[in-house]
Amino acid sequence: MISRGAGRALAGVLLAAAAVVAACGGGPASGTSQVSFPTVVTLGGCEVCPQINNQSLAVGDNRVSIGLTDRQDNQVLDARVHLRFYDLSGRAPVFLSEAEAQFVPITLAYVDSQNANRETTSGASGVYVAHATFTKAGDWGVQISITRGGKALKPIPYRFTVLEHSSEPEVGEPAPPSQQQTVATAPNIEAIDSSYPPRTAMHEITVADALKTGKPIVLAFATPAFCTSRTCAPVMDTVMDPLYAAYHDQAIFIHIEPYDLGPLRQSNIEEPVRATREWRLQSEPWIFVIGRDRRIAAKFEGPTAKGEVEAVLREVLAAPLPGTPPAGH
């Protein structure tokens, strides 16, 4: 049982375990051998300060999510961000890859149970997302180049740890066959969905049963009324709902509340439901795309763009059923 706010502390512990170290105003703008990644934590003092938002990063392909804040701790939502990744396991940093980060904007909102269940807007947010492949566990670094208002800021070196395995299921792994409550087994829809109005169509089948159908699955763990980051409701509104409208006849869409809504409503206590524990999640929201082969095709943590999920969904929809011979055979 986790008290409200302590759940975020778990994600914070994981982030700390990733040895997040940033040195504001760091090294040179270019040149592999000249880049240095300090081991001393430097907090504050940045014109723009970065933070990796992932609960963990692991060997393999990762969707790296970076938040930016200014000296007043306000979010920076109007920058261009370029990332250069380095292996720090040797005596000198070894450059391995680079990527232009995509900005994913989101309007913060929540379902206000004290105000006729209205969805209340509470500001704007966003993250900068890029994909990176980490070949081994250990120390890694990213040099973050930020351009804002036409001004290129001094690149910032940022050190972090890559784990052998992520806490949540990894891409390529079989999806856990969770048997969460549905409209057929819950006392009422409000017991398993804090959305308003409830998304009843996303609570009609268990993950276990959906995996048997041979259809792709889009699975969201989100709590629209109780998400501390206030990104759950927007992710459901801007990603799950439009994708369901466009693809519900081709794929199965499932929404799972990550916490038992009874204790959450009554005592503000976050008690993870069984599915949350089975998927080893320690933050929300999450979206997983599962292919016809019952394996995880992609995963998205936190603010997510519809286009990111849709691109993967189209790929798994185009994939043949397992065991189907290639065309022409």
Side-chain angles (χ1 to χ4, degrees):
M1 187 175 296
I2 307 172
S3 63
R4 194 73 179 147
R8 300 306 168 278
L10 285 174
V13 168
L14 284 167
L15 195 58
V20 175
V21 180
C24 297
S30 61
T32 302
S33 61
Q34 296 177 315
V35 178
S36 64
F37 293 87
T39 56
V40 177
V41 176
T42 303
L43 299 176
C46 311
E47 183 172 345
V48 175
C49 290
Q51 175 177 311
I52 292 180
N53 295 325
N54 301 71
Q55 75 173 32
S56 62
L57 296 170
V59 173
D61 180 63
N62 290 259
R63 176 183 180 267
V64 182
S65 173
I66 293 177
L68 300 179
T69 55
D70 62 18
R71 287 194 177 98
Q72 289 72 44
D73 203 31
N74 298 314
Q75 285 195 306
V76 173
L77 309 177
D78 59 351
R80 287 180 51 212
V81 178
H82 188 81
L83 307 176
R84 292 170 58 88
F85 292 95
Y86 295 80
D87 176 4
L88 303 184
S89 60
R91 297 183 64 181
V94 176
F95 169 74
L96 288 184
S97 67
E98 63 185 320
E100 194 76 17
Q102 172 193 0
F103 179 62
V104 178
I106 195 164
T107 299
L108 299 177
Y110 62 100
V111 176
D112 189 353
S113 60
Q114 304 300 315
N115 187 20
N117 288 316
R118 292 177 181 172
E119 187 163 306
T120 302
T121 300
S122 57
S125 184
V127 293
Y128 298 84
V129 171
H131 284 263
T133 299
F134 303 125
T135 54
K136 57 186 174 182
D139 290 336
W140 286 75
V142 57
Q143 186 185 52
I144 305 173
S145 297
I146 300 168
T147 301
R148 190 183 187 199
K151 175 186 176 184
L153 307 182
K154 195 171 185 181
I156 300 171
Y158 194 102
R159 179 186 289 260
F160 58 94
T161 295
V162 170
L163 307 177
E164 191 68 46
H165 299 285
S166 62
S167 52
E168 74 283 352
E170 298 179 351
V171 171
E173 283 188 4
S178 296
Q179 296 183 349
Q180 82 281 7
Q181 283 192 307
T182 65
V183 289
T185 57
N188 51 61
I189 186 61
E190 288 76 17
I192 55 174
D193 191 351
S194 67
S195 306
Y196 190 82
R199 294 174 167 89
T200 305
M202 297 186 192
H203 294 276
E204 294 181 343
I205 188 171
T206 65
V207 176
D209 286 340
L211 290 170
K212 300 173 185 177
T213 67
K215 284 187 173 184
I217 302 167
V218 183
L219 168 62
F221 285 86
T223 179
F226 299 99
C227 192
T228 299
S229 67
R230 300 187 176 181
T231 59
C232 293
V235 163
M236 294 298 294
D237 292 343
T238 63
V239 180
M240 290 295 286
D241 287 349
L243 290 181
Y244 173 83
Y247 297 97
H248 69 272
D249 58 339
Q250 304 173 65
I252 296 174
F253 290 79
I254 297 175
H255 167 222
I256 297 178
E257 288 278 343
Y259 310 110
D260 187 332
L261 290 177
L264 196 50
R265 287 187 174 115
Q266 295 166 13
S267 306
N268 216 25
I269 298 296
E270 291 175 341
E271 186 172 340
V273 297
R274 181 176 176 179
T276 300
R277 298 193 300 270
E278 290 170 341
W279 286 71
R280 307 188 300 276
L281 303 181
Q282 299 180 21
S283 63
E284 84 279 331
W286 279 91
I287 292 179
F288 294 88
V289 179
I290 304 164
R292 300 182 192 276
D293 59 359
R294 305 184 184 183
R295 295 182 180 275
I296 295 170
K299 57 185 180 180
F300 305 89
E301 179 183 6
T304 302
K306 169 179 171 284
E308 293 182 272
V309 182
E310 186 171 25
V312 179
L313 179 57
R314 286 180 173 176
E315 287 181 9
V316 299
L317 284 170
L321 287 168
T324 303
H329 288 256

